[in-house]
Amino acid sequence: MSTPSPRKRPTAELYIFFSIFLIGLVFLWIHVVAWVIPQWKLLSESVAANCTVLETRIETKSEDDSVTLYRPEIRIKFASEEGDIVVWTYDSDTLTRSGGFSTNRKTAENVVAQYEVGKSYSCWYHPDNPEKAVLKRETSVWGWYFLAIPICLAIFGLGGIFRSVQLFSVSDERKAAKGVKSNTNFDSSAASGAPAVSLFPTVPDSRMINESPGTYLAFRLPTTSLPSIRLVVLTIFTIVWNAICWTILVWSLYHSGGSRAELIFATLFGIVFCGIGLFLTIWIIHYLLTAFGIGPTIFEISDHPIYPGRKYRVLLMLTGTQRYRSLNVALVCEEIARFRQGTDTITSRKEVYSQPLYFREDFETARDEPLRKEFFIRLPHGAMHSMRLEHNEIVWKIVLHANLINWPELHCECPVIVQPYSVSEDRDRFLDHANYR
């Protein structure tokens, strides 16, 4: 049955990654405007001065008539361009009416104890607004941690956009055309078993498969595997994301003033950002267990490429410690057609031939006792050879599908190249005819 699959996946991924990139930019802009720029102005544009401590106190505030909040306040006097300034202050949080409060009275007492009445200390103020002077101008660590979250989102989204655009711009026709072009440059003196394809430029090159020798048979077939590079990148991103989010959450809860707004912020932050971190962690662990728990699936073949009517030995090895409900191996021929529909590229796939090779139910494998099964394949006479054109393709492959107990389903594909049956005879007739002329 034909299953048209338009190039919607790269387009959908492009929208998803663009949304992630846009969300990262929005959060980055909000945080830069609300926190980074004020902190930068406080550090770069403030003027240092000497001040005299006139008085100290601990300001209190009741939250919902049940919780008492405390913050340290120091009354200082210093000389500025506008004259002598007297102001209650400590850090940038105490410059607002509701900032700088916490439920820990001991912390406020320790701050007040650092300043003695009548002694001189350093302070900083902005020349345009000397009433906003502070005795402590260090920035909080959690603000810089929070800045890293939108940066990570923007970088992750930008990388996804680049990858999606790359997949979207390079069409299947162009990749197929490149494959055909590369096959025409085949060297007849290549590895053994790989015939000269000058007479058959549409037959894919088999040298890439023949370059991998087998342990028991002549060649080891390439198999689809877990994208290790992508997994490493996602693992690093997950570690960084969780480190930042959980640090911010712990810091905000530890330094929380006990107000309802701060508790709501910490709760929402933990649910959204730390929840995303937990989801990424579970997802990474799932794929790591799948990759290392199942173990590699190995296919080896006695000769390659293969010809219709001839018999070939195939060896299957399943490693790892697993319990299988069922295992099915088949030789499949798939026809692929590509065509344009408007601005989209439509790819239609149809399975035109299937030959069962091996089937087994309810068995186990161990690392010291892997499953090792040898069987034979033989294509019927007149079977269509492998072919790759700009809009059409004939693909032969060995397909393995397994249902495992307590594990995701295992699906593995190994491509093989089928040559025209009379390739050697046609080549000899062509050379004899060229010599005769």
Side-chain angles (χ1 to χ4, degrees):
M1 179 178 179
S2 178
T3 56
S5 55
R7 224 176 10 162
K8 291 182 178 180
R9 182 176 178 181
T11 307
E13 290 182 353
L14 178 63
Y15 292 150
I16 293 174
F17 284 115
F18 181 77
S19 300
I20 295 175
F21 176 71
L22 188 61
I23 292 173
L25 285 185
V26 171
F27 275 98
L28 181 62
W29 179 81
I30 293 175
H31 191 60
V32 167
V33 173
W35 189 83
V36 175
I37 293 179
Q39 293 293 327
W40 178 78
K41 289 183 177 181
L42 178 64
L43 295 176
S44 62
E45 299 180 5
S46 59
V47 177
N50 290 325
C51 66
T52 302
V53 175
L54 303 178
E55 187 180 354
T56 62
R57 70 183 182 188
I58 296 178
E59 185 70 11
T60 61
K61 182 178 69 170
S62 297
E63 186 75 15
D64 298 334
D65 297 330
S66 59
V67 179
T68 302
L69 306 178
Y70 310 91
R71 78 174 180 184
E73 291 187 358
I74 314 297
R75 189 165 177 255
I76 62 174
K77 178 181 179 181
F78 64 95
S80 67
E81 297 178 355
E82 298 181 4
D84 292 340
I85 303 296
V86 178
V87 63
W88 284 97
T89 185
Y90 172 59
D91 57 11
S92 59
D93 292 334
T94 59
L95 298 179
T96 61
R97 295 184 59 183
S98 60
F101 286 94
S102 70
T103 57
N104 194 338
R105 181 183 177 89
K106 186 65 176 178
T107 301
E109 292 177 350
N110 292 335
V111 172
V112 170
Q114 297 175 8
Y115 299 92
E116 297 184 15
V117 177
K119 286 192 174 182
S120 297
Y121 298 91
S122 298
C123 67
W124 292 266
Y125 69 94
H126 196 279
D128 298 334
N129 193 2
E131 289 78 10
K132 299 294 184 179
V134 294
L135 289 168
K136 179 183 177 182
R137 64 170 187 169
E138 287 82 3
T139 59
S140 59
V141 177
W142 75 269
W144 298 110
Y145 272 112
F146 192 79
L147 179 65
I149 292 179
I151 292 178
C152 289
L153 285 176
I155 294 176
F156 183 74
L158 188 62
I161 290 173
F162 176 77
R163 178 60 178 170
S164 300
V165 169
Q166 199 174 35
L167 292 176
F168 187 81
S169 60
V170 181
S171 63
D172 293 333
E173 293 92 339
R174 182 178 177 185
K175 287 185 279 188
K178 286 184 177 180
V180 173
K181 183 177 179 181
S182 63
N183 290 334
T184 59
N185 298 325
F186 185 82
D187 184 7
S188 60
S189 61
S192 62
V197 297
S198 57
L199 294 177
F200 304 97
T202 61
V203 177
D205 193 348
S206 60
R207 288 180 299 176
M208 294 298 295
I209 298 177
N210 294 357
E211 287 177 355
S212 300
T215 305
Y216 302 95
L217 300 180
F219 303 104
R220 176 167 296 184
L221 299 176
T223 59
T224 56
S225 59
L226 188 70
S228 57
I229 297 179
R230 182 182 299 179
L231 180 62
V232 170
V233 173
L234 289 177
T235 302
I236 295 175
F237 178 81
T238 301
I239 294 174
V240 174
W241 180 274
N242 280 280
I244 295 172
C245 293
W246 286 101
T247 301
I248 295 175
L249 180 62
V250 172
W251 192 97
S252 61
L253 292 175
Y254 182 78
H255 294 83
S256 173
S259 63
R260 179 178 299 177
E262 292 177 342
L263 292 177
I264 292 176
F265 168 78
T267 303
L268 293 177
F269 182 87
I271 293 175
V272 176
F273 293 98
C274 296
I276 293 174
L278 288 176
F279 174 78
L280 291 174
T281 302
I282 295 173
W283 188 76
I284 291 295
I285 292 175
H286 167 77
Y287 272 88
L288 286 175
L289 291 176
T290 303
F292 298 105
I294 296 178
T297 302
I298 300 174
F299 276 101
E300 294 185 0
I301 192 168
S302 59
D303 196 9
H304 191 266
I306 64 179
Y307 298 87
R310 298 183 183 179
K311 191 175 182 180
Y312 300 89
R313 295 165 56 198
V314 177
L315 175 66
L316 166 64
M317 291 186 62
L318 292 177
T319 59
T321 304
Q322 294 299 328
R323 295 179 59 191
Y324 290 79
R325 287 192 179 93
S326 63
L327 174 67
N328 187 21
V329 183
L331 178 64
V332 174
C333 178
E334 187 178 54
E335 181 181 357
I336 304 174
R338 305 179 182 90
F339 54 93
R340 301 282 294 182
Q341 183 175 355
T343 58
D344 293 332
T345 298
I346 308 299
T347 302
S348 177
R349 299 175 179 268
K350 183 178 181 180
E351 184 178 302
V352 296
Y353 179 81
S354 179
Q355 179 185 120
L357 300 178
Y358 180 67
F359 179 78
R360 187 175 178 181
E361 291 181 322
D362 193 17
F363 65 97
E364 297 183 8
T365 59
R367 294 191 179 275
D368 54 344
E369 295 181 3
L371 173 66
R372 180 180 174 182
K373 181 63 179 179
E374 188 173 304
F375 44 86
F376 298 91
I377 60 174
R378 185 198 298 269
L379 294 183
H381 290 278
M384 182 61 185
H385 58 79
S386 301
M387 182 183 66
R388 182 181 298 151
L389 297 174
E390 182 177 1
H391 299 285
N392 299 91
E393 190 172 354
I394 300 296
V395 177
W396 287 88
K397 55 189 176 181
I398 299 176
V399 179
L400 179 146
H401 185 80
N403 289 320
L404 294 87
I405 298 177
N406 299 326
W407 286 89
E409 292 185 354
L410 175 63
H411 186 81
C412 177
E413 295 183 358
C414 302
V416 293
I417 305 301
V418 177
Q419 287 284 351
Y421 178 74
S422 58
V423 60
S424 57
E425 298 177 1
D426 291 341
R427 181 180 59 191
D428 294 339
R429 284 198 299 267
F430 175 80
L431 295 176
D432 293 340
H433 179 69
N435 293 332
Y436 176 78
R437 293 180 60 185

